[in-house]
C-alpha cells in the first residue's frame, strides 16, 4: 500500500468517525426535543435508567419517573432467592424484569397498561432476555390468586414526582391500593417479597407489614443510592431478607434500621 493510499484510508476512517459523532448528536438532539420540559431532568439521567438507552429503548411519560434505576434493579435481582420464578407485579417499562431475567430467572411481568407492556417487550428484546419473560396485560390484584412464584417483586406507583413533597410517605399513599393490601395480595403468591418504595416512606409502617403473616416474616430494610443520591428504600421479606448485609455495591448502600 502506497503512502498516498494509506493517507486516503486514514482520512476516510476519520470522516466516518465524524459522521457517526454527528449522527449521534443529531439523534440526541431529536430525542431531547420530544421530551417535555418537566421530564428533561429524567432524560438527562437516561443512561442510569437504561445503560443501552441509545439502542432503541422506549418509554412513556410515566416511565421516565417510575422506572427503577438500572444499578438498583441489578441489585434487586442479585438479592432474590436463587432460581425459580419471579413475579414482577407492576412491570412498567420492564427495568426490573430485564435484570431478573438476565440472572436466569423466569419472569412473569404484569402491567395493566397494554402500551407499557408493548414498550417493555421492546426493551427486553434490546437486552436479549425476552425469551425469559412472559408478559401479561392485566390487573395484578385480580391475577394474583392464580399466580405462584419464588419471589414477588412490588414496585407500585408512588403517585408521581409529587411524592417528594410529602415529609412522611405513608403506605396508604401507594397506588392503586394501599401498601398493606398490596402486601397481603402478594402473599397469596409467595412469602418472599421485595418492595421498592419512596425514600421518604414511613419505615415503621414497612416493618409492620411483616406482622401480617403468622408467624411474622423476616424483614430487612435498606437505602438505595445511585452516585451518592438516595433514590429509594427496598424492603426484603421472607427468604430474601438478611442476605449479604455487610456487602455494598455501586447501586445500593445497605443501611439497616
Amino acid at each position: 500500500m502506497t503512502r498516498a493510499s494509506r493517507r486516503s484510508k486514514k482520512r476516510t476512517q476519520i470522516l466516518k468517525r465524524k459522521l457517526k459523532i454527528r449522527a449521534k448528536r443529531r439523534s440526541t438532539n431529536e430525542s431531547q426535543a420530544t421530551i417535555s420540559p418537566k421530564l428533561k431532568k429524567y432524560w438527562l439521567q437516561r443512561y442510569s435508567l437504561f445503560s443501552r438507552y441509545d439502542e432503541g429503548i422506549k418509554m412513556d411519560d410515566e416511565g421516565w419517573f417510575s422506572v427503577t434505576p438500572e444499578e438498583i434493579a441489578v441489585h434487586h435481582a442479585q438479592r432474590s432467592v436463587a432460581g425459580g420464578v419471579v413475579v414482577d407485579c407492576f412491570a412498567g417499562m420492564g427495568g426490573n424484569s430485564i435484570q431478573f431475567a438476565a440472572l436466569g430467572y423466569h419472569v412473569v411481568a404484569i402491567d395493566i397498561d397494554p402500551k407499557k407492556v408493548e414498550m417493555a417487550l421492546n426493551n427486553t428484546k434490546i437486552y436479549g432476555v425476552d425469551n425469559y419473560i412472559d408478559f401479561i396485560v392485566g390487573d395484578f390484584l385480580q391475577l394474583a390468586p392464580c399466580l405462584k412464584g419464588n419471589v414477588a417483586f412490588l414496585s407500585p406507583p408512588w403517585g408521581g414526582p409529587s411524592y417528594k413533597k410529602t415529609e412522611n410517605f405513608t403506605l396508604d399513599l401507594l397506588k392503586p391500593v394501599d401498601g398493606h393490601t398490596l402486601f397481603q395480595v402478594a402473599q397469596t403468591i409467595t412469602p418472599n417479597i421485595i418492595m421498592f418504595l419512596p425514600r421518604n416512606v414511613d419505615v415503621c409502617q414497612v416493618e409492620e407489614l411483616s406482622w401480617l403473616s403468622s408467624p411474622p416474616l423476616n424483614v430487612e430494610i435498606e437505602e438505595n443510592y445511585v452516585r451518592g443520591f438516595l433514590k429509594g428504600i427496598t424492603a426484603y421479606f421472607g427468604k430474601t431478607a438478611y442476605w449479604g448485609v455487610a456487602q455494598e455495591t455501586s447501586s445500593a448502600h445497605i443501611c439497616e434500621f
Side-chain angles (χ1 to χ4, degrees), residues 16-33:
K16 286 182 178 179
R17 284 199 295 269
K18 287 182 177 180
L19 289 173
K20 286 182 180 180
I21 292 172
R22 290 173 184 172
K24 187 173 182 179
R25 286 176 179 172
R26 185 165 56 249
S27 176
T28 298
N29 291 335
E30 290 173 354
S31 297
Q32 187 174 7

Side-chain angles (χ1 to χ4, degrees), residues 179-193:
H180 292 86
T181 300
L182 286 174
F183 189 82
Q184 287 181 310
V185 173
Q187 283 187 299
T188 64
I189 300 174
T190 175
N192 306 317
I193 299 169

